[in-house]
Amino acid sequence: MADLTDTASPTDTARATGDGRVAELEHPAGGGRLPTGSTSTVDAPRTADPVPAKEPAGGGWIDAARPRAGMPRRRGPGRAGWARLRPAVGLGLLALLIGYAVLVPWLADFDPRITDYSAGLSAPSAEHPFGTDPAGRDLLVRSAAGLRVSLLIAAVCAVVSTLIGTLVGALSGVAGGVVDQIVMRLVDTVNAVPHLLLGIVIVALYGGGLPAVIISITLTHWTSVARIVRAEVLSLRDREFVDAAISGGASRWRVTRRHLLPAVVPQAALAAVLMLPHAVWHETALSFLGLGLAPHDASIGILLDEAREATMLGGWWALVFPSALLVVATLGVAACGAAWRDRLTPRRRTELAL
């Protein structure tokens, strides 16, 4: 290194050497020039020497495998594994519930309508695994019969609502213009009223009973399907295959029937599946309020209504078992619907794999 003979200013406190280290420059006691041949430097270590890692303030050593800030984190395999198992779990739960609802009333020796007050509110036992209600009816058989009725009502309502919503949504999307605006204002009007309140009014107008419950649920649940189908039709209406069909001389009705409706069937079917638990809960609410089926009939809502008296008398099983069936049915349908939705949306399926 060359000798330092120039006067060092107060800001000249350091200078980088060739190997990247810093050489300190010190002033003499009285300022002025440094003696010729004298330099004050800090010898930099060789670049080959390893630099020891510093210990953080909290203790421990820095983990090199820890992701740094700003780096994207990959999701663990747990969510992707559950996404693969979800269809099997949902189908398994539904298969168990359907088998229970169909086989138990057929194989059991108890009639769910026959009362035996001497055995009222019997605790769960080998003879009555679910116990009995205050009227002495076996809850294992009665819960199965109630689940069968509730699932049947929900399935019919979901299918009819999906058909109505698909036709209305396709008509709105294909026609456009004034027809689209009128249909969408009708949908907004129906959605502005709470479904349960509107269902109570419809059931009261028809005098109760099974047909009134089906009409009530159907007329309050088609709007969501209509919105989905309309959005899908609007996205398909400007596609190349539709333009090619119109250019080839196909009429609007033929394009709708041959191209648009088959394309929206998967989304409409998914909406029907996801509507099942909602319809079950709607029927349960109406029956719980005394506006659904007759009291001697069996449904999940009627069982929950009867469980109020049984619970106050200490019969907890009258509430627990029907409620558990309702929750399991909802979870099974929701799992199947979510798995189907993931198959219909490749982007969502790719995100689950990350």
Side-chain angles (χ1 to χ4, degrees):
M1 182 181 296
D3 295 337
L4 298 177
T5 57
D6 297 333
T7 303
S9 64
T11 58
D12 296 333
T13 57
R15 184 182 58 175
T17 59
D19 55 1
R21 305 298 296 173
V22 176
E24 301 289 343
L25 302 179
E26 296 182 356
H27 294 284
R33 297 178 178 273
L34 292 174
T36 303
S38 64
T39 59
S40 176
T41 63
V42 178
D43 295 334
R46 298 179 181 178
T47 57
D49 297 336
V51 179
K54 295 182 180 180
E55 185 177 358
W61 294 92
I62 298 176
D63 186 8
R66 184 183 305 171
R68 299 178 181 177
M71 295 180 61
R73 295 188 176 184
R74 295 179 63 87
R75 296 176 181 175
R79 189 175 179 184
W82 165 242
R84 289 190 294 267
L85 292 176
R86 186 162 48 190
V89 173
L91 291 176
L93 291 177
L94 288 181
L96 289 176
L97 289 178
I98 293 175
Y100 165 73
V102 173
L103 297 178
V104 169
W106 181 52
L107 298 176
D109 297 332
F110 301 97
D111 190 341
R113 296 186 178 185
I114 296 179
T115 60
D116 183 10
Y117 289 96
S118 62
L121 281 184
S122 299
S125 61
E127 185 179 5
H128 304 286
F130 284 9
T132 60
D133 62 1
R137 293 169 293 196
D138 184 76
L139 282 178
L140 176 67
V141 181
R142 190 163 172 80
S143 297
L147 180 63
R148 180 174 58 186
V149 172
S150 297
L151 290 178
L152 180 61
I153 293 175
V156 172
C157 294
V159 172
V160 177
S161 298
T162 301
L163 292 177
I164 296 175
T166 301
L167 295 178
V168 173
L171 173 64
S172 177
V174 172
V178 179
V179 176
D180 185 26
Q181 295 180 5
I182 294 175
V183 171
M184 287 298 101
R185 297 299 76 77
L186 176 62
V187 170
D188 294 337
T189 302
V190 175
N191 288 334
V193 182
H195 288 177
L196 183 58
L197 179 60
L198 184 58
I200 291 174
V201 173
I202 296 175
V203 171
L205 290 176
Y206 282 91
L210 180 60
V213 173
I214 294 177
I215 294 174
S216 169
I217 299 175
T218 300
L219 294 181
T220 56
H221 287 74
W222 62 270
T223 55
S224 59
V225 182
R227 284 186 175 276
I228 294 174
V229 172
R230 172 184 175 270
E232 193 70 15
V233 168
L234 290 178
S235 65
L236 295 172
R237 195 173 59 179
D238 299 330
R239 297 288 182 87
E240 290 79 3
F241 67 92
V242 176
D243 294 338
I246 295 176
S247 301
S251 63
R252 180 180 298 181
W253 163 247
R254 181 177 177 83
V255 170
T256 303
R257 182 171 56 89
R258 295 291 301 273
H259 300 286
L260 297 182
L261 285 180
V264 302
V265 165
Q267 294 292 342
L270 175 60
V273 172
L274 295 177
M275 194 187 301
L276 281 173
H278 194 189
V280 171
W281 283 88
H282 199 134
E283 182 276 330
T284 301
L286 291 176
S287 299
F288 181 80
L289 295 174
L291 300 173
L293 304 179
H296 63 273
D297 292 330
S299 72
I300 297 297
I302 292 177
L303 293 177
L304 294 180
D305 184 24
E306 297 173 349
R308 292 185 298 176
E309 178 185 356
T311 304
M312 290 187 293
L313 297 176
W316 54 266
W317 52 88
L319 176 64
V320 170
F321 292 113
S323 302
L325 292 176
L326 179 61
V327 173
V328 172
T330 303
L331 293 178
V333 175
C336 293
W340 193 352
R341 179 189 58 196
D342 295 340
R343 292 183 63 87
L344 292 178
T345 52
R347 179 180 179 182
R348 179 180 176 88
R349 187 169 66 248
T350 304
E351 290 176 354
L352 290 175
L354 294 178

